[in-house]
Amino acid sequence: MAWRNIWRNARRTAVTIGAMALALLAMVLVTSMTEGFLGNMERRIVEIELGDLQIYARDYQKKPSIYNLIDQPGELVQRLNDAGFRAAPRLLGGALVAAGNESAGVSLRGIEIEKDQQVSEIYQQIDSGHWLSVDDATGVVLGKRLAKTLGVQVGDELVVLSQATDGSMANDLFFVRGVLVTTGDATDRAGVFLPADTFRDFFILPVGAHQLLVRRPDQLDLELSTRQAARLAPQLDVRNWKQLMPTLASISESARAAMIGVMFVMYLVIAIVILNATLMAVFERVREFGVLKALGVEPGTVIRLILVETAMQTALACTIALSLSLPALYYLSTTGLNMGKLGGVSMAGMTFDPYIRAVVTTNSFILPVVLLVTIVFSGAVYPAVKAARILPVEAMRHQ
């Protein structure tokens, strides 16, 4: 009976199903693209720039100084590795770099090449040339914008000046071994990577480290990992990437909340469409409901009839929307949308992959479908109750 009823007015049913299907299709795609964008953002932050966690000496973040060191970083790295983390030390120092008639202030970053590759994928972000090598002590890798500022290419010479830890003038000649693609703003404008041993010789810094990049175990969430790492490094400053970049963390959380808000508003409009369509169907069938109730049909049965009609339309809409979403999601997850033609994607000093690709998870389907069903059935309750309360005597006289 419910199936027959919904096709009494085929045009109205088609419009209602079409509206629900279009809304669900849009929300499945938006959910997948949002998850893809946020996942790409977090991946680039964690895997390329910051790591899950960073560990510094006390007050280093407030007053960065080449003298403010983590003592015996090797022992701390071993403790972290034993606990399931992956960690690598880095050395940080400021300097002046000159090439020809150009110069710029830079951030020198000394890394242990093999260990650093376990915690950061910066070594894969080469635009031209090659990454650092233990066999090339004077080869350095620059940020792309810094290389452009200095007017240098792979193989060009750089003169680096600074002050060593013993107070003497530190100066040396280096060669551009590679240039990075655009990543974070700080790296892009002023980042210079060099081997840790070269850094120590340049600054006369035989021991210690300024920073530890840490990747958490897969089974631990970020907050729990932060607390566990803090217990392993009690006298040091342990921060996760959300604490280091609160703006981006806030954007990530707000985007997911906004996504649910957009779904709710769109589905609310669909609920109004359902409410209107169902009310029209009820008013057209007042005499029919009156006859049913006169024959002894209970009000609960009438309510179930209206809800079954709504369920059938919702099921058809979900089937259509999810069927259409599969080829669309395949394209968006493999090819994606190229935002590079619009100038790329950059926020809070971080530059992201210009290709935004969808990420398909169970949440991409479950959340939109559950929210749609909940709101649609909420909109169908009032017409169903109204139909159930129709009095047979008044219904038989209804024109």
Side-chain angles (χ1 to χ4, degrees), residues 34-35 37-39 41-42 45 241-242 245-259 347:
T34 301
E35 289 295 335
F37 172 73
L38 295 178
M41 179 182 75
E42 293 182 10
I45 291 172
W241 74 264
K242 291 185 177 182
M245 301 195 76
T247 301
L248 283 177
S250 177
I251 289 173
S252 176
E253 294 171 0
S254 299
R256 289 189 170 92
M259 178 179 67
M347 289 189 302

Side-chain angles (χ1 to χ4, degrees), residues 44-51 86 88 90 111 113-125 131 193 213-215:
R44 288 184 70 87
I45 291 172
V46 170
E47 296 183 359
I48 298 175
E49 283 291 316
L50 303 182
R86 289 173 287 150
R90 284 189 175 183
I111 65 172
I113 299 172
E114 293 185 0
K115 288 184 179 180
D116 203 82
Q117 291 180 5
Q118 299 175 10
V119 298
S120 173
E121 294 183 359
I122 190 70
Y123 69 97
Q124 297 179 346
Q125 309 301 309
W131 183 241
F193 291 85
L213 250 62
V214 183
R215 297 297 303 278

Side-chain angles (χ1 to χ4, degrees), residues 25-39 259 263 325 329 332-333 356-361 363-365 368:
L25 175 62
M27 287 301 100
V28 168
L29 298 182
V30 168
T31 302
S32 299
M33 290 299 290
T34 301
E35 289 295 335
F37 172 73
L38 295 178
M259 178 179 67
M263 279 190 203
S325 71
L329 287 174
L332 292 173
S333 61
I356 300 179
R357 296 179 176 85
V359 172
V360 182
T361 64
N363 191 52
S364 303
F365 298 101

Side-chain angles (χ1 to χ4, degrees), residues 276-332:
N276 178 67
T278 309
L279 279 174
M280 291 295 296
V282 168
F283 287 141
E284 289 176 357
R285 294 149 56 194
V286 169
R287 290 173 61 83
E288 178 182 326
F289 289 130
V291 171
L292 288 174
K293 296 192 70 175
L295 292 174
V297 175
E298 297 181 352
T301 302
V302 176
I303 291 176
R304 286 196 296 274
L305 177 63
I306 302 297
L307 293 181
V308 168
E309 293 174 12
T310 302
M312 287 181 172
Q313 294 179 79
T314 305
L316 286 172
C318 290
T319 301
I320 294 170
L322 296 180
S323 298
L324 292 175
S325 71
L326 295 179
L329 287 174
Y330 176 78
Y331 173 81
L332 292 173

Side-chain angles (χ1 to χ4, degrees), residues 39-201:
N40 171 54
M41 179 182 75
E42 293 182 10
R43 185 189 70 81
R44 288 184 70 87
I45 291 172
V46 170
E47 296 183 359
I48 298 175
E49 283 291 316
L50 303 182
D52 291 302
L53 311 170
Q54 290 187 2
I55 301 177
Y56 295 89
R58 290 290 181 186
D59 299 326
Y60 182 90
Q61 290 278 27
K62 295 179 180 178
K63 296 180 180 180
S65 170
I66 197 168
Y67 303 101
N68 197 359
L69 295 164
I70 299 173
D71 296 325
Q72 298 178 331
E75 294 183 5
L76 177 56
V77 167
Q78 187 60 51
R79 290 202 302 272
L80 290 167
N81 289 340
D82 291 343
F85 292 87
R86 289 173 287 150
R90 284 189 175 183
L91 299 159
L92 307 175
L96 178 68
V97 171
N101 296 323
E102 303 297 334
S103 63
V106 300
S107 170
L108 297 180
R109 306 177 186 185
I111 65 172
E112 297 183 14
I113 299 172
E114 293 185 0
K115 288 184 179 180
D116 203 82
Q117 291 180 5
Q118 299 175 10
V119 298
S120 173
E121 294 183 359
I122 190 70
Y123 69 97
Q124 297 179 346
Q125 309 301 309
I126 296 294
D127 183 61
S128 60
H130 304 279
W131 183 241
L132 301 175
S133 171
V134 292
D135 298 324
D136 186 3
T138 60
V140 299
V141 175
L142 311 181
K144 188 171 186 177
R145 197 172 303 179
L146 175 60
K148 186 176 180 180
T149 299
L150 296 173
V152 295
Q153 298 177 349
V154 174
D156 289 346
E157 295 181 352
L158 296 176
V159 177
V160 182
L161 303 173
S162 188
Q163 181 177 326
T165 56
D166 63 356
S168 64
M169 177 65 70
N171 62 88
D172 210 337
L173 186 66
F174 295 93
F175 295 89
V176 179
R177 179 176 172 85
V179 177
L180 297 168
V181 299
T182 300
T183 54
D185 193 57
T187 299
D188 198 35
R189 291 178 179 273
V192 177
F193 291 85
L194 66 163
D197 290 340
T198 303
F199 185 102
R200 294 187 186 280
D201 292 341

